[in-house]
């Protein structure tokens, strides 16, 4: 099956927030009222009922102020840290088309997926004790439709399609920006997690932190250690204990009580 992806050309984003509204409406999310904090950003961060946020990052460049706006949601990594960290079978799945989806019915609310995500995306609901994030509209994609946010973008900032095609388009667009004088333009694709199925075109690709993106996202070493060597050691210790108990039983038999202590 073809791996799908979302391309975000930040140079075309006007901060209209139509994608935020479309995400809320399609997923029937509870309305969230923000608080003005000297920014045009809707909320300070993602929330269990708010999976798609346009970050307004103000930066001074060559004596002028500039908005470096970037759409922030699950990156749908090729090697998802959330999936690697999750101890509950079926709670997090990676579909054949590359989408990483959460099944709340199997979620135990441990929050380990939050620790495993290098992009700090999953959010634990204090009400349901379940974890939520962008599903890349897996229900729509499964029915042959594009994600709701893509459908509503008025500037073609967002594109959806086969990942191989979008990677090529992203590099072509970065080349166009360089020819227009943006020498630092480039593509953000998270190689530390095997690549992401949400790809960015950035005017200032050498400093993705300016857009609220980690410079070198990788799965935390604690997760790799816990789900790697420590898991094997724990399994070996458990097996050794079980074998030891069985051998003791075979050699000495069951423990017998020869008498009761008198009162």
């Amino acid at each position: 099956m073809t791996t799908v992806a979302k391309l975000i050309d930040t140079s075309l984003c006007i901060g209209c927030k139509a994608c935020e509204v479309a995400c809320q409406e399609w997923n029937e999310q509870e309305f969230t009222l923000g608080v003005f904090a000297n920014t045009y950003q809707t909320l300070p961060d993602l929330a269990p009922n708010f999976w798609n946020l346009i970050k307004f990052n103000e930066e001074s460049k060559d004596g002028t102020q500039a908005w470096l706006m970037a759409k922030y949601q699950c990156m749908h990594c090729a090697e998802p840290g959330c999936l690697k960290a999750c101890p509950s079978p079926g709670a997090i799945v990676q579909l054949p088309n590359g989408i990483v989806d959460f099944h709340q019915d199997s979620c135990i609310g441990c929050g380990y997926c939050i620790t495993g995500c290098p992009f700090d995306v999953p959010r634990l609901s204090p009400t349901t004790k379940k974890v939520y994030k962008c599903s890349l509209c897996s229900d729509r994609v499964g029915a042959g439709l594009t994600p709701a946010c893509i459908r509503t973008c008025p500037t073609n900032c967002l594109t959806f399609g086969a990942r191989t095609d979008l990677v090529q388009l992203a590099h072509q667009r970065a080349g166009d920006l360089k020819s227009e004088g943006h020498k630092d333009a480039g593509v953000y694709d998270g190689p530390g997690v095997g690549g992401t199925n949400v790809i960015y075109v950035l005017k200032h690709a050498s400093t993705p932190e300016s857009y609220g993106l980690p410079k070198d996202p990788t799965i935390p070493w604690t997760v790799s250690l816990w789900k790697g060597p420590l898991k094997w050691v724990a399994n070996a210790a458990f097996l050794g204990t079980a074998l030891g108990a069985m051998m003791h039983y075979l050699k000495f038999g069951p423990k017998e009580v020869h008498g009761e202590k008198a009162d």
Side-chain angles (χ1 to χ4, degrees), residues 7 12 32 45 118 166 180 184 186 191-192 203 211 221 230 239 250:
L7 173 60
L12 297 177
T32 300
D45 207 344
L166 293 188
E180 294 172 5
D184 196 26
K203 282 185 179 180
Y211 297 85
W221 66 268
L230 285 184
L239 180 60
L250 292 175

Side-chain angles (χ1 to χ4, degrees), residues 55-61 66-70 184 202-215:
K55 286 189 173 182
F56 283 68
N57 305 285
E58 190 172 3
E59 185 170 283
S60 178
K61 288 281 186 182
W67 285 113
L68 303 183
M69 290 175 286
D184 196 26
L202 307 176
K203 282 185 179 180
H204 309 287
S206 63
T207 56
E209 307 96 313
S210 301
Y211 297 85
L213 298 167
K215 189 174 183 63

Side-chain angles (χ1 to χ4, degrees), residues 1-5 76 78 95-99 161-165 196-197:
M1 180 177 285
T2 302
T3 299
V4 298
H76 297 276
L95 304 180
N97 60 9
I99 292 177
R163 189 181 192 281
T164 51
D165 294 340
T196 58
N197 292 328

Side-chain angles (χ1 to χ4, degrees), residues 60-197:
S60 178
K61 288 281 186 182
D62 302 321
T64 60
Q65 295 298 115
W67 285 113
L68 303 183
M69 290 175 286
K71 188 173 182 293
Y72 177 41
Q73 75 283 290
C74 173
M75 299 293 285
H76 297 276
C77 307
E79 299 171 5
C82 59
L83 176 57
K84 189 170 186 177
C86 181
S88 179
I92 303 177
V93 296
Q94 188 168 33
L95 304 180
N97 60 9
I99 292 177
V100 180
D101 206 356
F102 279 21
H103 292 165
Q104 279 74 32
D105 289 345
S106 300
C107 177
I108 59 176
C110 65
Y112 289 160
C113 59
I114 300 173
T115 304
C117 177
F119 296 97
D120 187 30
V121 168
R123 292 293 184 269
L124 178 65
S125 169
T127 304
T128 66
K129 308 301 180 184
K130 307 288 185 179
V131 181
Y132 300 86
K133 71 168 189 65
C134 158
S135 65
L136 201 58
C137 286
S138 57
D139 51 350
R140 290 177 60 91
V141 174
L145 303 173
T146 58
C149 60
I150 308 287
R151 186 76 173 171
T152 194
C153 180
T155 64
N156 292 324
C157 162
L158 307 179
T159 308
F160 182 77
R163 189 181 192 281
T164 51
D165 294 340
L166 293 188
V167 169
Q168 183 178 353
L169 179 60
H171 285 283
Q172 178 182 331
R173 177 57 182 157
D176 291 342
L177 289 173
K178 286 182 178 180
S179 67
E180 294 172 5
H182 303 287
K183 297 180 180 180
D184 196 26
V187 177
Y188 184 88
D189 190 18
V193 289
T196 58
N197 292 328

Side-chain angles (χ1 to χ4, degrees), residues 19-62:
C19 58
E20 292 183 355
V21 175
C23 179
Q24 292 291 99
E25 289 187 348
W26 178 258
N27 293 290
E28 298 180 341
Q29 300 286 16
E30 180 184 356
F31 177 74
T32 300
L33 182 64
V35 178
F36 182 70
N38 297 318
T39 177
Y40 292 109
Q41 195 166 296
T42 305
L43 292 176
D45 207 344
L46 298 175
N49 62 331
F50 196 85
W51 306 344
N52 171 50
L53 174 67
I54 299 298
K55 286 189 173 182
F56 283 68
N57 305 285
E58 190 172 3
E59 185 170 283
S60 178
K61 288 281 186 182
D62 302 321

